[in-house]
Amino acid sequence: MADFLGSVWWMIVSLGVLVTFHEFGHFWVARRCGVKVLRFSVGFGRPLWTRRDRHGTEFVVALLPLGGYVRMLDEREGNVHPAERAHAFNNKPVWQRIAIVAAGPVANVILCLALLWAMFMVGRADYSATLGPVQGMAASANLHPGDRITDVDGRPVQSWAEASIALTLAAMDRRDARVDVLGPEGDDRHATLPLGQLPAGFAEQRVPELAGLSWGFQQRQAIVAEVSTGSPADGVLMPGDRILAVDGQSVDSADQVEPLIAALGRRGGPGMVEVQREEDRLALELTPRQDASAPGGWRVGVAMSAGTAPAYDVRAQYGPLAAVPAAIREAGRMTADTLGMMKRLVTGNASLKNVSGPVGIARAANASAKRGVDWFLYFLAALSLGLAILNFLPIPILDGGHLLYYLIELVKGSPLSDRVMIAGQYVGLALLAGLMGLAFYNDILGQLPR
């Protein structure tokens, strides 16, 4: 219940911020161009709060926080007093109408840059792209635990998330990925992951896993939480011991302990278990006991600690001036990724399951808010940029569709006919309804048990 309420709250906050900035862009430029603004609404439906300023503009916060609008004086929407016709939107020069319509998405781009600048000032903390245990194609490509991925296909990466995105894009394009890694000893190597060999219809959210990769931060340390009385480990191991090796085989995570214990049991006889106990490193003798109910058929009588999340080991943080170009670079990368994903959706290289609606946005907002202010700022920046790109698409009913109409008007020297514009609005409405239907379908499908 707490997660549900948190998701709803953070979605309202996120959309409220983005919609307010978007509509303020339209509002501010319209006022500068001498257009009378009748209403500035954040949300749709029944007004919850209203206020009117000295210019006659009604400011509204409405019940449904899933959008907003700026309503301007326009002869196409009703009778306009002759004295006010000069302040009607439709009577303004075409370049002013273009500026007013473009101002909304532009405001979202500016907000994205400001949020990224603030994020880099705070410092975005994350886990490095250091590998845990590898298998499958990753092992065949000569990648090893402890390697840190520094570059994928010429794209520098710092964090596991950046590496995962780059690998996923390569897999969607059905091509192999060139990976540069830095080994634990400081050695640079190149490897090629044959992602083009992944089967058709692969799960795009699991590309690193399908490639045989795991991340170092996901590995739970093998710390003893409990020792069973009368078990082989009783009197040998103690709660708090960190297991470092079993029978000469190093242990990097708790998941490795049970298989190594089973292998020691099958070998027969005692073996040495190396542990870290406070400041001391100890080598202790241990003989597993056969137990059909235990994983692997052998047990020593210890339970591993659930562990806690490790500390972040990379942080992207800059001063006030250096954060400006960093924000611009990040916005450029996000734009390229977003446009690339749109292209892949259209060409069929990416699954339509990647399209999400309000539920997906709400869950992402809640998850980012839980991670801290840096990640919530990043989420807002990504959402703001996505809103700008969506609105720039030349789809009638969106800002980009209106811009298309006005560009055609500039070329032909006269506005499009009402018939053509109305037909375009119907087409745009159908496209938007289809996109929203797909997003809601994916949201609902994502909530069903699998």
Side-chain angles (χ1 to χ4, degrees):
M1 186 63 178
D3 267 353
F4 171 77
L5 293 176
S7 297
V8 171
W9 166 250
W10 289 116
M11 181 187 72
I12 291 174
V13 170
S14 301
L15 294 181
V17 170
L18 302 189
V19 168
T20 299
F21 267 83
H22 180 94
E23 299 305 334
F24 181 77
H26 292 311
F27 169 80
W28 189 83
V29 176
R31 279 274 182 90
R32 296 304 175 277
C33 291
V35 175
K36 182 175 181 179
V37 180
L38 303 178
R39 174 178 280 195
F40 183 127
S41 178
V42 177
F44 299 108
R46 184 170 65 86
L48 300 177
W49 175 88
T50 61
R51 187 180 77 83
R52 194 177 296 273
D53 70 2
R54 61 187 179 87
H55 301 285
T57 301
E58 184 183 27
F59 293 88
V60 176
V61 176
L63 181 62
L64 299 176
L66 297 179
Y69 61 92
V70 168
R71 184 173 154 222
M72 291 170 269
L73 190 67
D74 194 315
E75 289 181 316
R76 296 168 299 179
E77 296 183 4
N79 294 326
V80 175
H81 193 278
E84 292 190 314
R85 283 176 182 167
H87 300 291
F89 175 80
N90 64 294
N91 289 327
K92 292 298 178 180
V94 65
W95 66 266
Q96 287 191 349
R97 282 178 275 145
I98 289 175
I100 293 168
V101 171
V106 169
N108 282 123
V109 173
I110 294 172
L111 176 61
C112 169
L113 291 169
L115 290 167
L116 290 174
W117 177 83
M119 179 200 72
F120 283 125
M121 284 284 292
V122 173
R124 184 181 65 182
D126 205 350
Y127 296 108
S128 65
T130 301
L131 300 180
V134 299
Q135 56 185 345
M137 67 173 63
S140 301
N142 199 32
L143 295 175
H144 307 286
D147 286 345
R148 180 164 60 86
I149 298 177
T150 58
D151 186 282
V152 178
D153 287 335
R155 173 175 173 162
V157 298
Q158 283 189 312
S159 69
W160 72 279
E162 292 174 350
S164 296
I165 291 172
L167 293 171
T168 300
L169 295 179
M172 287 178 175
D173 293 339
R174 313 301 297 165
R175 58 180 171 80
D176 299 342
R178 174 188 167 92
V179 178
D180 295 348
V181 300
L182 182 65
E185 305 301 324
D187 54 309
D188 291 313
R189 299 195 318 279
H190 306 295
T192 299
L193 280 173
L195 298 177
Q197 298 178 11
L198 290 175
F202 65 89
E204 294 171 358
Q205 296 82 4
R206 298 175 54 224
V207 167
E209 179 185 345
L210 296 174
L213 298 173
S214 66
W215 304 108
F217 75 90
Q218 296 172 328
Q219 308 309 308
R220 184 167 51 103
Q221 289 187 339
I223 297 176
V224 176
E226 183 180 351
V227 179
S228 300
T229 303
S231 68
D234 190 15
V236 180
L237 299 180
M238 296 178 58
D241 286 349
R242 179 187 171 192
I243 300 177
L244 304 175
V246 176
D247 201 27
Q249 300 294 313
S250 63
V251 172
D252 298 310
S253 71
D255 298 334
Q256 297 173 279
V257 174
E258 287 179 348
L260 291 175
I261 291 296
L264 174 59
R266 289 191 296 270
R267 182 179 70 77
M272 302 305 295
V273 176
E274 296 182 43
V275 303
Q276 184 77 35
R277 182 176 295 169
E278 296 180 350
E279 303 298 323
D280 300 322
R281 182 172 180 137
L282 308 174
L284 307 170
E285 188 177 275
L286 198 61
T287 304
R289 180 182 299 161
Q290 195 162 14
D291 184 344
S293 65
W298 298 84
R299 64 187 295 270
V300 292
V302 297
M304 294 290 106
S305 169
T308 57
Y312 291 124
D313 56 354
V314 292
R315 190 177 191 87
Q317 187 170 22
Y318 303 93
L321 294 180
V324 174
I328 294 173
R329 286 194 303 270
E330 185 69 13
R333 185 194 63 76
M334 292 165 65
T335 301
D337 284 350
T338 302
L339 294 176
M341 180 59 74
M342 288 181 174
K343 178 183 176 181
R344 293 179 180 93
L345 288 170
V346 171
T347 59
N349 284 6
S351 170
L352 293 177
K353 293 179 181 178
N354 289 293
V355 179
S356 61
V359 175
I361 293 173
R363 294 175 67 181
N366 190 41
S368 62
K370 285 182 177 179
R371 291 189 68 175
V373 64
D374 50 343
W375 279 96
F376 189 62
L377 289 171
Y378 181 79
F379 167 77
L380 283 179
L383 197 59
S384 186
L385 182 63
L387 182 62
I389 292 173
L390 179 65
N391 271 280
F392 271 131
L393 293 179
I395 298 176
I397 210 171
L398 297 178
D399 291 333
H402 292 292
L403 291 175
L404 178 63
Y405 289 157
Y406 300 145
L407 290 175
I408 293 174
E409 180 179 339
L410 277 175
V411 172
K412 69 189 291 284
S414 62
L416 290 172
S417 67
D418 290 342
R419 182 177 179 181
V420 171
M421 293 182 69
I422 291 172
Q425 295 294 87
Y426 280 122
V427 171
L429 190 60
L431 289 172
L432 196 59
L435 182 63
M436 291 177 63
L438 175 63
F440 278 110
Y441 172 78
N442 286 340
D443 279 348
I444 294 170
L445 197 65
Q447 302 306 306
L448 297 178
R450 299 176 185 271

